[in-house]
Structures are given as C-alpha cells and as structure tokens.
Amino acid sequence: MSDRPGRRVGVLVSGRGSNLQALLDAVQAGTLDATIAVVISNVPGAPAMDRARAAGVETAVMPHRDWPTREAYDEALAAALLARTVDLVCLAGFMRRLSARFLAAFPGPVLNVHPSLLPAFPGLDAPGQAVAHGAKVAGCTVHLVTAELDAGPIVAQTAVPVASGDTGDTLAARILVEEHRLLPAAVARVLAGGWRVDGRRFVDA
Ligand code: GRF
C-alpha cells in the first residue's frame, strides 16, 4: 500500500459501508493508488467500522450529538481529518450535511457518491424518487461537495436503466453495483490532478 503525500484519503460513513468496502478493495487490488488514512463515523456501531477495522484502517467515532452545534461538529470533524494529514475526503453513505464551516476548514477536495443522475433526485431515497417519478434511466453520481446538498460539480456518472417492475429497493441494488465501480475510479481521477472547476463544471485542466 503506498503512503505518498497527497494520496491520503479520509472516509466518512454512517451505516453499511459497502462503498467504503469498494474503496478498501480497490486499494488492496492496486487499482486505487491511495491510503485510506482514517474512517470516521457519526453513528456508533455503524457496520462500516467493522469493515475498516478488518482492513487494519484507523477508525474514529464522532457522534454528532456530542457537539453543541453543527458548526462546532464540522470544525471538530475537519480537525480530526487534518490531524491525520488527509488530502481528500470521501463521503461514503455519510448521512449528514456538511456546512460551509467544514468546507472552509478542510482545504482539499471532498467527494460524495449519490444514487441518482444528479441534478435529478437529490436528497433521501433517490432510487425510490426515480421509480415514483417514472424515470426510465437512473444511475449514480460522484460529485465535489459544496454547501448546497447534492449540487456540487459532477466528477463522474454511470447510467442504470429502470426496469418496468422496479421498486426503489431493486433499483437501488443495481445502482449500488455501479457505485462500487464509480467511486474508486472517481477518487483516483481526483487524486491524479490535472482538473479544475470552471463555474460549476469539473473539467480537465
Ligand atoms: C449509497 O447508496 C450512497 O450512494 C448513498 O448512501 C448509500 C450508502 O451505502 N449516499 P453504503 O453505506 O456505502 O453501503
């Protein structure tokens, strides 16, 4: 596992952690040249933490209710990441909005994976929203995080067709398979550099 400066990734989780697992597997397989430096959960007992421990990655539990305000929590979160000299933060099922305070305190790129083709269906249960809306194509997006929910510059997307009998759950399961491919590839792309943000577009530099 390489541990070169500029390639240290911090992962924020709240639950199952299958996207974290995809990152751990990609690092292990050598397809993602990065070090997962720390995994932080805002939910004590999140299954994702077992995956991190099994991979020998440092973990930290930071329950948000232990801090008096969102801003105080976000500053503590950024400080915890910076203390581990993290270069890039990846939200992998982190079910909490990050404030402008976090983004001001953490200078590196922050990525999120979302189970829709943004800007369609931001927010909770995006696959269920897509089915209810009658969308014929769904998918997943990795984007740079900004203070606006699920709205930052799009790094990468994969389309997933919606089947006529799909429920939110069956569609989410097929999207998840694509998330597991897309997220490690997008992290590798961002770590490689040679990009810039032009307006709201993520473009080659
Ligand atoms: C994924 O669908 C992700 O897109 C969304 O939350 C889910 C997290 O799943 N933000 P997991 O914890 O990575 O298994």
Side-chain angles (χ1 to χ4, degrees), residues 43-93:
V43 176
M49 299 303 255
D50 296 330
R51 299 179 188 266
R53 283 186 212 103
V57 171
E58 183 190 353
T59 59
V61 180
M62 296 180 65
H64 51 273
R65 289 198 177 81
D66 288 359
W67 277 264
T69 63
R70 179 178 293 276
E71 283 69 29
Y73 181 73
D74 282 5
E75 275 186 6
L77 200 52
L81 292 159
L82 290 170
R84 274 89 174 183
T85 59
V86 162
D87 303 292
L88 177 150
V89 172
C90 195
L91 312 188

Side-chain angles (χ1 to χ4, degrees), residues 15-20 92-95 112-115 176 179-180:
R16 176 177 60 184
S18 70
N19 279 291
L20 166 67
F94 185 64
M95 302 306 284
N112 181 44
V113 58
H114 181 77
L176 194 62
E179 291 182 44
H180 296 162

Side-chain angles (χ1 to χ4, degrees), residues 18-148:
S18 70
N19 279 291
L20 166 67
Q21 191 67 56
L23 292 170
L24 294 168
D25 291 349
V27 169
Q28 180 70 33
T31 53
L32 174 58
D33 181 12
T35 298
I36 309 299
V38 66
V39 176
I40 301 177
S41 175
N42 67 320
V43 176
M49 299 303 255
D50 296 330
R51 299 179 188 266
R53 283 186 212 103
V57 171
E58 183 190 353
T59 59
V61 180
M62 296 180 65
H64 51 273
R65 289 198 177 81
D66 288 359
W67 277 264
T69 63
R70 179 178 293 276
E71 283 69 29
Y73 181 73
D74 282 5
E75 275 186 6
L77 200 52
L81 292 159
L82 290 170
R84 274 89 174 183
T85 59
V86 162
D87 303 292
L88 177 150
V89 172
C90 195
L91 312 188
F94 185 64
M95 302 306 284
R96 195 174 160 77
R97 283 181 75 159
L98 291 175
S99 66
R101 190 76 71 93
F102 178 90
L103 298 169
F106 184 81
V110 183
L111 295 179
N112 181 44
V113 58
H114 181 77
S116 80
L117 290 179
L118 290 171
F121 311 126
L124 292 175
D125 189 23
Q129 291 186 54
V131 168
H133 193 89
K136 304 301 184 207
V137 180
C140 48
T141 301
V142 176
H143 65 93
L144 294 172
V145 171
T146 60
E148 198 184 340

